[in-house]
Amino acid sequence: TNLREVKNQGNIFMLQDDSKFIVGENYNESEALIENAEIYESKEEADKDYLNRCEITKDGEPAKIEDKVKE
């Protein structure tokens, strides 16, 4: 419940519910399914997984990506 998309790149997604972050692949919103998902308590840990899955780096470190805001 209260699941919303924070960001996505290709088939990699970060979702958030009231208190947790979910990082996974091939999210199907209509069926509420996501593959290879990991659940995180902190956004920092979720960001690390997300960026690693996207293989986005800057100077050998995971790059920072701004969250998209859905209204």
Side-chain angles (χ1 to χ4, degrees), residues 1-69:
T1 63
N2 298 326
L3 195 61
R4 66 179 183 89
E5 184 179 314
V6 177
K7 53 187 154 188
N8 82 293
Q9 176 72 33
N11 71 328
I12 308 299
F13 290 83
M14 180 186 292
L15 310 174
Q16 182 180 8
D17 69 7
D18 292 331
S19 62
K20 295 185 173 135
F21 295 89
I22 301 163
V23 177
E25 302 164 10
N26 303 319
Y27 176 53
N28 182 322
E29 185 175 5
S30 64
E31 295 182 21
L33 296 174
I34 189 165
E35 299 174 356
N36 302 318
E38 294 291 334
I39 300 172
Y40 298 95
E41 298 287 331
S42 80
K43 186 169 184 308
E44 182 178 298
E45 290 300 313
D47 276 334
K48 286 180 187 177
D49 183 8
Y50 177 84
L51 293 172
N52 284 334
R53 290 180 192 228
C54 291
E55 298 181 359
I56 299 172
T57 61
K58 180 178 179 183
D59 300 325
E61 296 293 320
K64 294 191 185 286
I65 297 177
E66 292 189 25
D67 300 339
K68 70 182 187 181
V69 176

